[in-house]
Amino acid sequence: MNAAMTEWPLLSVEGLGIEFRTRRGVARVLDDVGFTVARGETLAVVGESGCGKSVTALAIMRLIPQPPGRIASGRLMFDGRDLLALPEPEMRQVRGNRIAMIFQEPMTSLNPAFTVGDQIAESLRLHQGLNRKQALERAVEMLGAVHIAAPRRRVHEYPHQFSGGMRQRVMIALALACQPDLLIADEPTTALDVTVQAQIFDLIAELRETSATQQGTAVMLITHDMGAVAEMADRVVVMYAGRVVETGSAVEILESPQHPYTRGLIACAPGRRTAVPGQPLEEIPGTVHSLLERGMGCMFAERCTSAMPHCSSVLPPMTMLGSSRSVQCWLHVEGGPA
Ligand code: SF4
């Protein structure tokens, strides 16, 4: 363990609040979100659609469109520097180089007009200062690393010449080419069929294992697939309606969820991936509370079978259940509200 590993986490999201102006008013899509990512670990961020997972990822990449978005509060400390305070030229050096992201649909990130080799090489030339020949050679290596057959030939092909699963592999090669400290994978398999989903998760796990020992690359996996969480994650952050409601190790969260929402997520999950690979969550009864009217209390109160009278009027504090385990629920606050 080097000195930097003991000084601070790789990423520390602190009190992050984000608002979006809509025609119906201001929606607070993230409210006081906080968590850390250590070097080399895989952190899963889980929750239903619209709970704030992807907005959190976009905020870390500083890709929130402003307006209509607005960072209302918080800091994003990455390797000791606040990303929110970096001038844009410095942020461009971080984005794609030290923090890389893969999206659900790789065509949103791949340019159809350039060969995949040129796109990987361009990133390497821009961020790592390689010349064209070196960069193309590294692009071939990266395609091989993500198990694309005949990489020396395929490096000259265009994105449309690859299948959906292969495009996602190219995207992973592009994301990892610069050996980032943090890889953010936002629902990386949602658009793929079940067999390919499993292969992509296996690939990320394989590359993460290699890179965690060689470079300390951390993975922030945004997913609703609890099977992927069981297989890949070291720790889990559970989000609901723009707030973190529970954190813990993957084993703690999966074996002994403490927040009623986390329990619902796990109860609705179709079992581990070995049972039904990649299948999304069933629904928890009820709908997510409107982010336009957050109210004063627990946002899950309307759907919670354990709700008490004070739950919808007073926000529970975050209660520490261990050194890295926390839950935001009145069931874990002795004596209830003061
Ligand atoms: Fe349910 Fe109350 Fe806990 Fe919210 S605070 S999850 S409503 S018990």
Side-chain angles (χ1 to χ4, degrees):
M1 187 179 287
N2 62 38
M5 288 175 82
T6 57
E7 280 170 18
W8 49 59
L10 176 65
L11 175 73
S12 175
V13 177
E14 301 171 3
L16 187 63
I18 294 182
E19 296 175 347
F20 269 83
R21 199 175 311 142
T22 73
R23 264 184 289 185
R24 291 192 295 130
V26 174
R28 195 166 178 92
V29 295
L30 293 187
D31 190 42
D32 198 21
V33 166
F35 60 86
T36 60
V37 184
R39 286 172 172 76
E41 81 168 340
T42 296
L43 177 81
V45 180
V46 302
E48 294 162 295
S49 302
C51 69
K53 307 180 302 255
S54 296
V55 175
T56 304
L58 289 175
I60 294 166
M61 296 294 280
R62 248 185 48 191
L63 292 174
I64 299 281
Q66 299 187 64
R70 185 176 83 87
I71 311 277
S73 62
R75 298 196 305 173
L76 290 169
M77 301 304 293
F78 177 72
D79 208 8
R81 293 191 300 172
D82 185 1
L83 295 178
L84 296 179
L86 283 189
E88 184 52 31
E90 283 184 49
M91 189 62 210
R92 272 200 292 273
Q93 272 305 314
V94 171
R95 204 185 289 126
N97 187 28
R98 301 202 56 201
I99 307 177
M101 187 160 174
I102 50 179
F103 298 87
Q104 267 180 40
E105 176 39 72
M107 285 311 271
T108 55
S109 311
L110 293 173
N111 188 330
F114 293 93
T115 67
V116 299
D118 279 345
Q119 294 183 59
I120 298 172
E122 178 60 21
S123 173
L124 287 160
R125 290 167 67 186
L126 182 71
H127 294 301
Q128 311 264 303
L130 301 190
N131 65 32
R132 186 176 154 71
K133 190 161 176 279
Q134 291 167 328
L136 211 55
E137 197 49 43
R138 176 97 178 113
V140 172
E141 268 173 41
M142 288 309 300
L143 292 185
V146 297
H147 306 308
I148 289 181
R152 205 162 285 284
R153 173 173 58 82
R154 301 217 73 186
V155 78
H156 300 297
E157 294 183 356
Y158 291 84
H160 74 267
Q161 293 174 281
F162 291 78
S163 67
M166 285 294 152
R167 275 202 290 266
Q168 195 55 287
R169 283 170 192 264
V170 170
M171 195 59 238
I172 293 170
L174 178 62
L176 292 177
C178 293
Q179 305 184 336
D181 298 287
L182 177 63
L183 173 70
I184 301 175
D186 185 4
E187 306 272 11
T189 64
T190 303
L192 304 173
D193 74 47
V194 165
T195 318
V196 182
Q197 286 185 7
Q199 290 168 358
I200 294 293
F201 279 132
D202 289 344
L203 177 64
I204 294 174
E206 175 194 324
L207 294 173
R208 186 248 151 185
E209 263 168 41
T210 319
S211 58
T213 48
Q214 290 180 355
Q215 315 149 11
T217 298
V219 177
M220 184 172 145
L221 175 68
I222 294 172
T223 185
H224 54 239
D225 183 343
M226 299 307 276
V229 172
E231 198 160 300
M232 292 179 61
D234 300 309
R235 284 193 310 121
V236 180
V237 165
V238 183
M239 292 187 72
Y240 183 73
R243 285 190 188 128
V244 172
V245 295
E246 184 165 4
T247 63
S249 73
V251 173
E252 288 166 339
I253 296 285
L254 293 166
E255 303 291 330
S256 127
Q258 296 298 312
H259 194 284
Y261 176 62
T262 315
R263 284 195 206 122
L265 279 182
I266 291 168
C268 291
R272 302 289 163 89
R273 265 180 62 212
T274 44
V276 188
Q279 189 168 316
L281 293 173
E282 299 292 326
E283 300 241 313
I284 296 173
T287 51
V288 181
H289 190 96
S290 167
L291 299 178
L292 291 164
E293 307 146 21
R294 295 198 74 93
M296 304 294 284
C298 170
M299 297 282 281
F300 191 57
E302 287 159 20
R303 304 170 76 185
C304 180
T305 52
S306 307
M308 297 165 277
H310 54 269
C311 287
S312 52
S313 55
V314 191
L315 183 66
M318 190 62 88
T319 305
M320 295 304 294
L321 303 177
S323 58
S324 63
R325 180 129 170 80
S326 61
V327 62
Q328 189 179 47
C329 171
W330 282 118
L331 293 173
H332 295 274
V333 182
E334 218 173 303

